[in-house]
């Protein structure tokens, strides 16, 4: 940012800032927070004095009359970087933008002051509402950018308000304007994709149906085999036994059996 002032009477240009620096734009404060060296250049150009008690640049009536007569303008040259090759824009402020009145609670009684503040460090460099009286600030949060333009005070200028549409609305609008071969290509692509999905689902269904059929067929064969076994027929009242010829016949082991004989006595007759 560069700042210079030009007097309306003698067209004398005075530099008010001898270097470029980044600064914030804040509409919540009325002041301009600038480096101390820039504030000293303002003091020399406008004859203002820093009041240590109230911490402000107060302007008495005689100095105000002089400044109104000279009607100097202050021009801010802004760019989006500190590079010399970066494009710039000039925002010109008349002295009326700096002719402000401080009231309670800042002052006990109404007092004119110059809205310039001495910044303690680079983090305080700010352009407040004094600057925004002569400039438009447009913030585009969705595109993550903002722009600054000077106000136009020309009489009879037609108002031209342009909406700042959301990127989503722009995309929807462009999609509605799709016609001709482009629209036909989109429709053909949708149809081909739908047929491909339908064919894949059909193949999957046939594969599942085949697996279910094989499982049912296996279960049917097992049930038929079980039903053919000739174990019993309860319906006709006939008991069907399993053929025992093929079964092994268990025999008693004869090694440990003892043989018993009847005692015949001495006379060879049985006693009753």
């Amino acid at each position: 940012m560069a700042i210079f002032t030009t007097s309306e009477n003698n067209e004398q240009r005075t530099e008010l800032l001898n270097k470029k620096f980044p600064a914030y734009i804040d509409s919540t404060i009325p002041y301009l927070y600038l480096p101390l060296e820039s504030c000293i250049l303002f003091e020399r150009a406008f004859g203002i004095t820093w009041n240590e008690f109230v911490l402000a640049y107060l302007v008495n009536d005689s100095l105000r009359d002089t400044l109104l007569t000279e009607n100097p303008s202050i021009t801010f040259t802004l760019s989006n970087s500190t590079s010399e090759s970066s494009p710039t824009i000039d925002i010109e402020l008349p002295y009326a933008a700096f002719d402000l009145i401080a009231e309670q609670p800042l002052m006990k009684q109404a007092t004119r002051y110059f809205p310039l503040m001495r910044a303690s460090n680079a983090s305080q460099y700010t352009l407040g509402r004094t600057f925004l009286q002569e400039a438009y600030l447009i913030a585009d949060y969705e595109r993550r950018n903002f722009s600054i333009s000077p106000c136009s005070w020309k009489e009879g200028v037609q108002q031209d308000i342009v909406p700042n549409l959301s990127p989503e609305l722009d995309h929807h609008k462009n999609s509605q304007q799709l016609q001709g071969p482009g629209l036909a290509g989109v429709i053909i692509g949708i149809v081909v994709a739908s047929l491909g999905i339908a064919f894949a689902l059909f193949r999957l269904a046939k594969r599942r149906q085949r697996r279910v059929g094989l499982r049912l067929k296996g279960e049917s064969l097992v049930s038929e085999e079980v039903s053919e076994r000739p174990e019993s027929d309860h319906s006709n009242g006939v008991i069907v036994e399993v053929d025992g010829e093929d079964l092994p016949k268990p025999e008693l082991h004869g090694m440990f059996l003892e043989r018993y004989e009847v005692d015949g006595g001495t006379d060879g007759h049985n006693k009753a």
Side-chain angles (χ1 to χ4, degrees), residues 12-28:
Q12 181 181 359
R13 174 170 171 160
T14 303
E15 295 288 342
L16 299 176
L17 186 65
N18 53 13
K19 66 177 181 179
K20 291 185 177 182
F21 63 90
Y24 298 100
I25 297 178
D26 190 349
S27 62
T28 63

Side-chain angles (χ1 to χ4, degrees), residues 57-78:
Y57 285 101
L58 302 182
V59 178
N60 54 39
D61 292 339
S62 60
L63 177 58
R64 177 175 179 269
D65 293 340
T66 301
L67 294 174
L68 289 176
T69 301
E70 296 179 356
N71 193 22
S73 62
I74 297 91
T75 302
F76 293 81
T77 302
L78 307 178

Side-chain angles (χ1 to χ4, degrees), residues 1 3 16-17 21 29-51 54-59 74 76 97-100 113-119 124-128 130-131:
M1 181 177 64
I3 308 174
L16 299 176
L17 186 65
F21 63 90
I29 59 175
Y31 311 105
L32 304 176
Y33 280 88
L34 300 178
L36 179 59
E37 55 269 26
S38 180
C39 293
I40 293 175
L41 294 176
F42 266 91
E43 294 173 6
R44 295 174 182 174
F46 294 96
I48 56 179
T49 304
W50 179 254
N51 190 310
V54 296
L55 300 178
Y57 285 101
L58 302 182
V59 178
I74 297 91
F76 293 81
F98 296 86
D99 187 22
L100 303 181
Y113 75 102
F114 195 92
L116 178 63
M117 285 291 183
R118 296 178 175 182
Q124 294 183 348
Y125 299 161
T126 307
L127 303 180
T130 298
F131 171 79

Side-chain angles (χ1 to χ4, degrees), residues 136-248:
Y136 287 111
L137 175 61
I138 302 174
D140 189 347
Y141 294 100
E142 294 183 276
R143 295 179 178 85
R144 302 179 67 86
N145 61 48
F146 70 94
S147 59
I148 302 175
S149 304
C151 295
S152 177
W153 301 106
K154 296 180 180 179
E155 296 183 0
V157 176
Q158 295 294 326
Q159 189 178 42
D160 184 16
I161 300 177
V162 180
N164 190 16
L165 299 179
S166 169
E168 296 182 359
L169 294 179
D170 289 341
H171 177 73
H172 180 68
K173 182 179 179 181
N174 293 334
S175 63
Q176 289 181 341
Q177 294 177 352
L178 187 62
Q179 298 177 356
L183 182 59
V186 172
I187 295 175
I188 293 174
I190 294 175
V191 172
V192 171
S194 300
L195 292 177
I197 294 173
F199 180 74
L201 293 176
F202 174 77
R203 290 290 303 273
L204 182 61
K206 292 291 291 183
R207 187 176 301 175
R208 290 182 177 178
Q209 185 177 4
R210 185 181 303 171
R211 291 178 181 177
V212 173
L214 292 176
R215 186 172 69 250
L216 293 177
K217 184 177 181 180
E219 293 177 355
S220 176
L221 292 175
V222 172
S223 61
E224 290 178 1
E225 182 180 355
V226 172
S227 61
E228 291 177 357
R229 294 179 181 176
E231 292 182 357
S232 61
D233 188 357
H234 297 285
S235 59
N236 298 326
V238 179
I239 304 300
V240 180
E241 296 183 354
V242 179
D243 191 359
E245 294 182 357
D246 296 333
L247 297 178

